[in-house]
Amino acid sequence: MEMMQQEEAAAAAANKAGSEVTQNQTIYINNLNEKVKLDEVKKSLKEVFSAYGKIVEVLAFKTLKHKGQAWVVFDNPESASNAISKMNGYPFYNKPMRIQFAKTKSDVIAKADGTFVPREKRKRHDEKGGKKKKEQHHDSTRVAMPAYPGVYGSAPPLSQVPYSGGGGGVKSNLPEAPAPPNNILFVQHLPHDTTPEILQNLFDKYHGFKEVRMVAAKPGIAFVEFSDEMQSTVAMHGLEGFTIQQTPMRITYAKK
């Protein structure tokens, strides 16, 4: 399938507040790790974002122009909006994703709602419009602004701040840095009578599940191991906040 054109400009030239892209079914992601194989990126994106709704397609391309970028198409705008609010800035293969609504519809959605325009016609139309705009504004200047302020400098969400372990003295007023994504999850706030079998019944429905480890001397916590970090991430998003005996679990990546 072909992808929407000119989306890469979205991250490099966001305008002032108030000129946000209209909410739609497609999200645009950039700042992806270019060292990871494209097929693996697409598969992992589908696994991670399927937690927020039905995915119609995932688009990513090998061309130099489109490296580090992808598009995820949901079947409704609400799912796309939820995915953006929950996953923008989230570490994906050790790089924070930058996510916003796509500026144009994907071809599959345009064909479904009857607004699809063949790409050659669209290109000719855009070239005519661009020529007129250039003539009218030949002496104007535009300054590119960063699209996602605060992604790198913002504090991590509370759901990613690791368990402090208690005891000892207060070492710092600042929260510890969250553990980087890995294949082992740290589960907290468990009722003290929670058994490994209970947790296994919850986590083994997710692909890649390996085992549950609990520490007898420290009731209320557990470690859940998966084959890789993407499988653990899917499970974490699926079960974060799940209640056992009216107590919601808290799940983060374990420190290694």
Side-chain angles (χ1 to χ4, degrees), residues 23-189:
Q23 179 173 315
N24 62 83
Q25 293 159 263
T26 305
I27 61 174
Y28 169 60
I29 309 168
N30 77 338
N31 199 43
L32 296 174
N33 194 329
E34 298 176 13
K35 296 181 180 179
V36 182
K37 291 182 178 180
L38 192 63
D39 289 342
E40 184 177 346
V41 168
K42 292 171 70 174
K43 180 181 177 181
S44 297
L45 285 173
K46 188 170 185 178
E47 288 181 349
V48 170
F49 284 98
S50 61
Y52 302 100
K54 181 179 179 181
I55 293 177
V56 178
E57 64 178 343
V58 177
L59 302 171
F61 302 88
K62 295 181 179 179
T63 57
L64 181 63
K65 183 179 180 181
H66 300 121
K67 278 189 174 182
Q69 304 168 67
W71 290 257
V72 178
V73 185
F74 290 91
D75 67 345
N76 65 78
E78 291 73 23
S79 294
S81 178
N82 190 29
I84 292 174
S85 65
K86 296 292 179 61
M87 295 298 290
N88 189 30
Y90 194 83
F92 183 78
Y93 288 111
N94 298 319
K95 293 189 70 175
M97 291 187 288
R98 301 177 184 176
I99 314 174
Q100 67 177 36
F101 285 110
K103 284 192 173 183
T104 56
K105 295 179 184 178
S106 69
D107 288 352
V108 67
I109 297 299
K111 287 176 181 178
D113 64 18
T115 60
F116 176 72
V117 177
R119 200 155 301 282
E120 189 58 37
K121 291 183 179 179
R122 196 184 311 175
K123 183 178 179 181
R124 288 198 298 266
H125 180 272
D126 291 344
E127 286 175 349
K128 290 180 180 179
K131 185 177 180 181
K132 289 182 179 179
K133 188 173 182 180
K134 186 175 181 180
E135 290 173 352
Q136 294 172 357
H137 303 283
H138 64 279
D139 60 343
S140 65
T141 58
R142 292 180 294 175
V143 178
M145 300 295 288
Y148 294 89
V151 169
Y152 292 100
S154 59
L158 290 178
S159 64
Q160 294 183 32
V161 177
Y163 175 69
S164 63
V170 177
K171 295 181 180 179
S172 172
N173 291 327
L174 297 175
E176 293 183 45
N182 63 80
N183 65 313
I184 300 177
L185 299 177
F186 180 42
V187 186
Q188 307 171 65
H189 300 175

Side-chain angles (χ1 to χ4, degrees), residues 5 9 21 36 41 46 54 101 118-119 140 167 192 195 212 216 220 227 230-231 237 246 249 252 254:
Q5 296 295 310
V21 178
V36 182
V41 168
K46 188 170 185 178
K54 181 179 179 181
F101 285 110
R119 200 155 301 282
S140 65
H192 287 190
T195 64
V212 172
S227 296
M230 294 316 304
Q231 292 168 336
H237 282 285
Q246 300 182 342
M249 293 191 298
T252 58

Side-chain angles (χ1 to χ4, degrees), residues 190-195 198 219 244-245:
L190 297 170
H192 287 190
D193 59 351
T194 303
T195 64
I198 291 175
I244 298 178
Q245 297 179 17

